[in-house]
Amino acid sequence: MELGTGIGWRPEIAEAVEGLPELDWVEVVAENICPGHLPDSLARLRARSVRIVPHGVSLGLGGAERPSPERLSALAERAEALGAPLVSEHIAFVRAGGPLTASPSLEAAHLLPVPRTREALAVLCENVRIAQESLPVPLALENIAALVSWPGDELTEGRFLAELVERTGVRLLIDVANLHTNRVNRGEDPVAALDELPTEAIAYVHVAGGVERDGVWHDTHAHPVPRQVLDILAELRRRVAPPGVLLERDDAFPPPGELAAELEAITGTLRGATEGGSRDPGPARTPGAPPAAAVPPAAEPPAAPGTPVPAAEPADRERERLAIAQTALLSALVAGTPAPEGFDPARLRVQARALAAKRADVVAKIAPELPELLGGTYRPAFLAYAKGRPLRGGYRRDALAFAEHLLARGRPEDPRHRRQLALWWRDRTGPRPPRRGTRLVRAARTRLAGVGR
């Protein structure tokens, strides 16, 4: 299935995306759209025969729990509403705890790496098969960027993906920016990963930018695509012509001309890779992280065609063990519990800070009144609140819990701002949302109270 060249559609750049010349397709975050109320921009793109692929972020197919039927149904509904040729998700876990561990559920609100073990692979494969049976179109899965490595990995990245494809027939979404991230952060060789991939299974490719700080590569999707990522794209192109390539940009959106230039750099890299010799992206870097040899030499070579896959242990036992391990890791990241054995505590602290910062950013976007009311105190106050208080019920509930936390402690100190925060909190926690007229009256009342002071 040929997709061509595309870009990630975001509301902030909808007009710029529509104006891009020779745009073949776009990708949308599945959880950010409502099938019955598609944005006008997406409707116009569909009318131009631009294909739209929903990209999920919340299934958590690498988690110990079987995928939620409700989440699968929602993803299927979006695929049908968009007339999508396929859907994509991630090889990651995003939540832990719950019934398998008899502990409270924890949400990462982030894509976390799956152990590259045969047990974890068996669980992942069953979850993928469940998803495939529930979706009306083919599924493609993306390799993720990671800051931490699991101890005891038994397979390399490439071999893990190869066996996943062999057992399930799932397609692959290869993110070359994530391969670069893992080279910097985990000392993994992207060329070695490409060599082991079943390239015939690639559905499309992601290209994105990031930035390096203090020896850690942050996969921000908010910076221009660096040369190192384009070099890995060229290496992939020398092995296979990917059916589709897509530019991801999620923040700090540049002018339309810069987006077009980045797309041209991508297509130019693909053209150049078929004309010149191989370019070596360089040795794997290991600043502050275990060397690439930390992936044990026991990682097995590809099995001969027709070789049966070894029988797995009963899935329930595998799921329980995986659940315990993932819950311990996630608890260390979001609840401040000790680092599980075998993990680098310093790396976990970096990851924990990144998760808390992301959580603060998302809450600020969905509840902009909070940073407006709190000003420069918003971020430190939220990070202090989040420490030891894991995300459990989504970002909107998180925003309300944060406001309640402040009010219970007599914050903000300014009485006027405290009243405004209390009104905002009551409006959203009452038994029935206030009507528009009520909101306008309250807003006017709040402004008059401020003028009178």
Side-chain angles (χ1 to χ4, degrees), residues 21 81 123 138 158 165 191 199 233 245 261 286 447:
V123 172
V165 170
V191 175
T199 54
L233 176 63
V245 180
T286 59
R447 284 195 297 271

PDB file of all heavy atoms in Angstrom, residues 21 81 123 138 158 165 191 199 233 245 261 286 447:
ATOM      1  N   PRO A  21       2.229  21.726  -0.913  1.00  0.00           N
ATOM      2  CA  PRO A  21       2.086  21.156  -2.258  1.00  0.00           C
ATOM      3  C   PRO A  21       2.390  19.663  -2.246  1.00  0.00           C
ATOM      4  O   PRO A  21       3.196  19.178  -1.464  1.00  0.00           O
ATOM      5  CB  PRO A  21       3.135  21.920  -3.070  1.00  0.00           C
ATOM      6  CG  PRO A  21       4.175  22.302  -2.068  1.00  0.00           C
ATOM      7  CD  PRO A  21       3.444  22.540  -0.776  1.00  0.00           C
ATOM      8  N   ALA A  81     -14.482   6.208  10.329  1.00  0.00           N
ATOM      9  CA  ALA A  81     -14.941   7.574  10.059  1.00  0.00           C
ATOM     10  C   ALA A  81     -14.006   8.304   9.100  1.00  0.00           C
ATOM     11  O   ALA A  81     -14.448   9.155   8.319  1.00  0.00           O
ATOM     12  CB  ALA A  81     -15.047   8.352  11.374  1.00  0.00           C
ATOM     13  N   VAL A 123       3.313 -12.017  25.569  1.00  0.00           N
ATOM     14  CA  VAL A 123       2.169 -11.188  25.979  1.00  0.00           C
ATOM     15  C   VAL A 123       1.836 -10.172  24.893  1.00  0.00           C
ATOM     16  O   VAL A 123       0.666  -9.978  24.526  1.00  0.00           O
ATOM     17  CB  VAL A 123       2.469 -10.485  27.317  1.00  0.00           C
ATOM     18  CG1 VAL A 123       1.379  -9.469  27.652  1.00  0.00           C
ATOM     19  CG2 VAL A 123       2.588 -11.504  28.446  1.00  0.00           C
ATOM     20  N   PRO A 138      -5.707  -2.939   8.540  1.00  0.00           N
ATOM     21  CA  PRO A 138      -4.440  -3.433   9.088  1.00  0.00           C
ATOM     22  C   PRO A 138      -3.869  -2.534  10.175  1.00  0.00           C
ATOM     23  O   PRO A 138      -4.113  -1.323  10.214  1.00  0.00           O
ATOM     24  CB  PRO A 138      -3.523  -3.461   7.861  1.00  0.00           C
ATOM     25  CG  PRO A 138      -4.449  -3.579   6.696  1.00  0.00           C
ATOM     26  CD  PRO A 138      -5.675  -2.802   7.073  1.00  0.00           C
ATOM     27  N   GLY A 158      15.995  -5.101  16.818  1.00  0.00           N
ATOM     28  CA  GLY A 158      15.633  -5.632  15.506  1.00  0.00           C
ATOM     29  C   GLY A 158      15.074  -7.026  15.585  1.00  0.00           C
ATOM     30  O   GLY A 158      14.087  -7.362  14.904  1.00  0.00           O
ATOM     31  N   VAL A 165       6.706  -9.664  14.129  1.00  0.00           N
ATOM     32  CA  VAL A 165       6.117  -9.764  12.786  1.00  0.00           C
ATOM     33  C   VAL A 165       5.905 -11.219  12.411  1.00  0.00           C
ATOM     34  O   VAL A 165       4.848 -11.596  11.876  1.00  0.00           O
ATOM     35  CB  VAL A 165       7.015  -9.053  11.757  1.00  0.00           C
ATOM     36  CG1 VAL A 165       6.550  -9.348  10.332  1.00  0.00           C
ATOM     37  CG2 VAL A 165       7.035  -7.555  12.013  1.00  0.00           C
ATOM     38  N   VAL A 191      22.034   1.030  12.825  1.00  0.00           N
ATOM     39  CA  VAL A 191      22.320   0.252  11.620  1.00  0.00           C
ATOM     40  C   VAL A 191      22.116  -1.232  11.890  1.00  0.00           C
ATOM     41  O   VAL A 191      21.558  -1.966  11.064  1.00  0.00           O
ATOM     42  CB  VAL A 191      23.745   0.540  11.111  1.00  0.00           C
ATOM     43  CG1 VAL A 191      24.083  -0.356   9.930  1.00  0.00           C
ATOM     44  CG2 VAL A 191      23.886   2.009  10.718  1.00  0.00           C
ATOM     45  N   THR A 199      12.212  -5.841   6.583  1.00  0.00           N
ATOM     46  CA  THR A 199      11.865  -4.599   5.892  1.00  0.00           C
ATOM     47  C   THR A 199      10.596  -4.724   5.054  1.00  0.00           C
ATOM     48  O   THR A 199       9.925  -3.725   4.791  1.00  0.00           O
ATOM     49  CB  THR A 199      13.031  -4.144   5.000  1.00  0.00           C
ATOM     50  OG1 THR A 199      13.398  -5.224   4.122  1.00  0.00           O
ATOM     51  CG2 THR A 199      14.229  -3.757   5.841  1.00  0.00           C
ATOM     52  N   LEU A 233      17.536   7.584   8.054  1.00  0.00           N
ATOM     53  CA  LEU A 233      16.520   7.421   7.007  1.00  0.00           C
ATOM     54  C   LEU A 233      17.175   6.959   5.709  1.00  0.00           C
ATOM     55  O   LEU A 233      16.650   6.084   5.007  1.00  0.00           O
ATOM     56  CB  LEU A 233      15.783   8.741   6.790  1.00  0.00           C
ATOM     57  CG  LEU A 233      14.748   8.757   5.665  1.00  0.00           C
ATOM     58  CD1 LEU A 233      13.603   7.784   5.954  1.00  0.00           C
ATOM     59  CD2 LEU A 233      14.201  10.172   5.451  1.00  0.00           C
ATOM     60  N   VAL A 245       6.413   7.934   4.096  1.00  0.00           N
ATOM     61  CA  VAL A 245       7.300   8.625   5.035  1.00  0.00           C
ATOM     62  C   VAL A 245       6.555   9.850   5.534  1.00  0.00           C
ATOM     63  O   VAL A 245       5.934  10.575   4.751  1.00  0.00           O
ATOM     64  CB  VAL A 245       8.626   9.039   4.371  1.00  0.00           C
ATOM     65  CG1 VAL A 245       9.526   9.757   5.371  1.00  0.00           C
ATOM     66  CG2 VAL A 245       9.345   7.827   3.800  1.00  0.00           C
ATOM     67  N   ALA A 261      10.122  23.006   3.799  1.00  0.00           N
ATOM     68  CA  ALA A 261      11.549  22.744   3.603  1.00  0.00           C
ATOM     69  C   ALA A 261      11.962  21.438   4.281  1.00  0.00           C
ATOM     70  O   ALA A 261      12.801  20.692   3.748  1.00  0.00           O
ATOM     71  CB  ALA A 261      12.365  23.909   4.154  1.00  0.00           C
ATOM     72  N   THR A 286      27.205   6.299  24.329  1.00  0.00           N
ATOM     73  CA  THR A 286      26.732   5.759  25.604  1.00  0.00           C
ATOM     74  C   THR A 286      26.920   6.724  26.767  1.00  0.00           C
ATOM     75  O   THR A 286      27.352   6.337  27.839  1.00  0.00           O
ATOM     76  CB  THR A 286      27.482   4.453  25.941  1.00  0.00           C
ATOM     77  OG1 THR A 286      28.894   4.752  26.002  1.00  0.00           O
ATOM     78  CG2 THR A 286      27.242   3.394  24.909  1.00  0.00           C
ATOM     79  N   ARG A 447     -14.419  39.794  37.202  1.00  0.00           N
ATOM     80  CA  ARG A 447     -13.691  40.977  36.694  1.00  0.00           C
ATOM     81  C   ARG A 447     -14.004  42.209  37.518  1.00  0.00           C
ATOM     82  O   ARG A 447     -13.122  43.002  37.851  1.00  0.00           O
ATOM     83  CB  ARG A 447     -14.047  41.197  35.213  1.00  0.00           C
ATOM     84  CG  ARG A 447     -13.378  40.228  34.258  1.00  0.00           C
ATOM     85  CD  ARG A 447     -13.463  40.713  32.832  1.00  0.00           C
ATOM     86  NE  ARG A 447     -14.838  40.795  32.371  1.00  0.00           N
ATOM     87  CZ  ARG A 447     -15.491  39.774  31.798  1.00  0.00           C
ATOM     88  NH1 ARG A 447     -14.902  38.630  31.636  1.00  0.00           N
ATOM     89  NH2 ARG A 447     -16.736  39.944  31.397  1.00  0.00           N
TER      90      ARG A 447
END
